Amino acid sequence: MAEPSKVIHIRNVGHEIAESDLLQLLQPFGLVSKIVMLRAKNQALLQMEDIHASVSALQYYSSVQPSVRGRNVYMQFSSHQELTTDQSSHGRNSDQESEPNRILLVTIHHMIYPITVEVLHQVFKAYGFVEKIVTFQKSAGFQALIQYNSRQEAVEAFGSLHGRNIYDGCCQLDIQYSNLSELQVHYNNDRSRDFTNPSLPTEQRPRTSQQQGYPDPASLYAFQQPGASYAQMGRAAMIAAAFGGTLPHGVTGTNERCTLIVSNLNTDKIDEDKLFNLFSLYGNIVRIKILRNKPDHALVEMADGLQAELAVHYLKVHSDSPVLFSIAFLSSVHICDYCLLFGMPIFLQGAILFGKKLEVNYSKYPNITPAPDAHDYLNSSLNRFNSNVVKNYRHCCAPTKMIHISALPQEISEEAILNHVSEHGSVINTKLFEVNGKRQALVMFETEEAATEALVSKHASTLEGNTIRISFSQMQSI
């Protein structure tokens, strides 16, 4: 370890990690006086007020693995004893050399959801009159030039937005001052806009965010209000993009608790991997720990609060409903969170696994401490939300009687699929089909419990040399 210093060097700082995230790690140990975000190297330098604070922080994190947004970060003393004012610029990139200008060059990192001219306008107009926006694709990724009416407005936007995420955990704003003096906009369309000249030709019919299936963030989530919480704005916008603007009834999108307590487990049949297979339907899993002193209890840490809330929502028994009906009763209606029949709310009954009705609630613990008896899934390739995030959110549902199997061998037969899953319960029907040249299957069981058991037992299992993937299907019949 390097000689103690007030400056702490942090590695593995992904683009989804903002300055505020790093401040939350170190501020409990003392004042953080300066920050340098080295985006190109996925690193950061943070200067504490005194050496005692930095030593205390590193002593603590030598026994506790620091994690931000589901990513492990690594700390050590920096070779710098002090950060100069030029280096830190109070939290800005050390390679930021351009003079303040009314035109900003914005690069979007970790862009999972589409960014349109409309979205950029709603984000940036909170700090002044945005005259022009031009978007383009470069080797650095999706970029935009944003021209304000005055330099002061651009400086305020830079200071407030640099390093922030438009959506929670993604679409991070990396802002520099441009050296251009005036943007030339020839068309008002989906790639450029001159807000001072609405009569410009469109060249092609512009597609608004609503036409693309994404709601207008201005009308739904008030990006233009500088006083609103950026975390709440980002989370709400992400949910809007993922669910097409409509949240499942009862899901708030504001939960920040990531760790769940799962009880009433069948201790003879359950293990961490089976819990992973179930809970990963609703988000990425960080760690799972079965409690040795209470083996029918387990802790499940998910990547963020929204994903934890979805798991609770779809797996928890809703005991507050006046009447519980089976999913069989609801088979004639759309599988949703509840419907009003006869004036009474009808709730789905939660998950039954290995003969036990699961009880899923939020844990009092903020996370699961790494330990030999805690299974780590942070870097697992089986985490479903590493890709196709929007599709995975839209496919979230409570357990159903039907499972969808993908990543099947090309020459697979229905008989082989049946032999693989039928041990878990009576199969009513199967269908083998192909989508974009890839073999997939639907298997309908007699009960939701049998389908759930097949999913947790056979997801990520090997079938004729292929690692198959299983999820619940919301289809009512084959």
Side-chain angles (χ1 to χ4, degrees), residues 104-115:
L104 302 176
L105 172 62
V106 180
T107 304
I108 309 293
H109 296 299
H110 197 50
M111 195 173 87
I112 293 177
Y113 306 117
I115 300 299

Side-chain angles (χ1 to χ4, degrees), residues 385-427:
F385 287 68
N386 289 334
S387 60
N388 299 322
V389 176
V390 173
K391 182 182 76 173
N392 281 312
Y393 275 127
R394 287 175 178 167
H395 287 174
C396 286
C397 66
T400 67
K401 296 179 182 179
M402 192 178 306
I403 59 172
H404 173 261
I405 308 177
S406 59
L408 288 166
Q410 284 299 113
E411 305 302 322
I412 194 73
S413 65
E414 286 192 17
E415 182 181 3
I417 295 171
L418 273 173
N419 289 337
H420 196 62
V421 301
S422 60
E423 66 176 292
H424 302 290
S426 299
V427 174

Side-chain angles (χ1 to χ4, degrees), residues 8-12 65-66 72-76 379:
I8 295 175
H9 178 210
I10 306 180
R11 294 177 288 114
N12 201 34
Q65 173 62 57
N72 287 347
V73 295
Y74 305 96
M75 299 184 186
Q76 64 188 47
N379 298 312

Side-chain angles (χ1 to χ4, degrees), residues 204-360:
Q204 63 184 33
R205 183 178 178 83
R207 294 187 51 160
T208 67
S209 58
Q210 288 168 312
Q211 288 172 321
Q212 291 175 339
Y214 296 90
D216 177 7
S219 62
L220 289 177
Y221 302 112
F223 272 105
Q224 70 274 16
Q225 298 178 11
S229 160
Y230 277 96
Q232 290 176 344
M233 288 161 43
R235 180 174 288 111
M238 180 188 69
I239 296 169
F243 289 98
T246 304
L247 279 172
H249 182 86
V251 175
T252 66
T254 60
N255 172 61
E256 295 184 352
R257 294 168 291 179
C258 300
T259 304
L260 307 176
I261 180 74
V262 186
S263 57
N264 202 35
L265 297 170
N266 185 324
T267 57
D268 294 328
K269 296 185 177 181
I270 200 65
D271 59 37
E272 290 85 354
D273 287 344
K274 289 185 175 68
L275 287 171
F276 171 87
N277 290 345
L278 179 60
F279 281 82
S280 63
L281 289 168
Y282 308 104
N284 283 347
I285 306 300
V286 178
R287 290 181 190 90
I288 296 177
K289 179 179 181 178
I290 292 178
L291 305 183
R292 300 308 168 196
N293 58 337
K294 293 182 178 180
D296 64 337
H297 286 60
L299 294 173
V300 178
E301 181 182 349
M302 306 196 71
D304 64 41
L306 167 64
Q307 296 175 355
E309 186 176 12
L310 289 172
V312 170
H313 177 74
Y314 285 118
L315 297 177
K316 180 178 180 179
V317 177
H318 294 275
S319 58
D320 56 340
S321 61
V323 181
L324 285 175
F325 287 78
S326 69
I327 296 181
F329 177 81
L330 295 177
S331 61
S332 61
V333 299
H334 176 60
I335 289 185
C336 59
D337 309 293
Y338 78 99
C339 55
L340 291 177
L341 298 177
F342 315 114
M344 294 182 296
I346 312 302
F347 286 85
L348 296 179
Q349 60 180 328
I352 301 175
L353 183 59
F354 300 123
K356 298 276 193 173
K357 187 170 289 187
L358 295 187
E359 296 178 9
V360 184

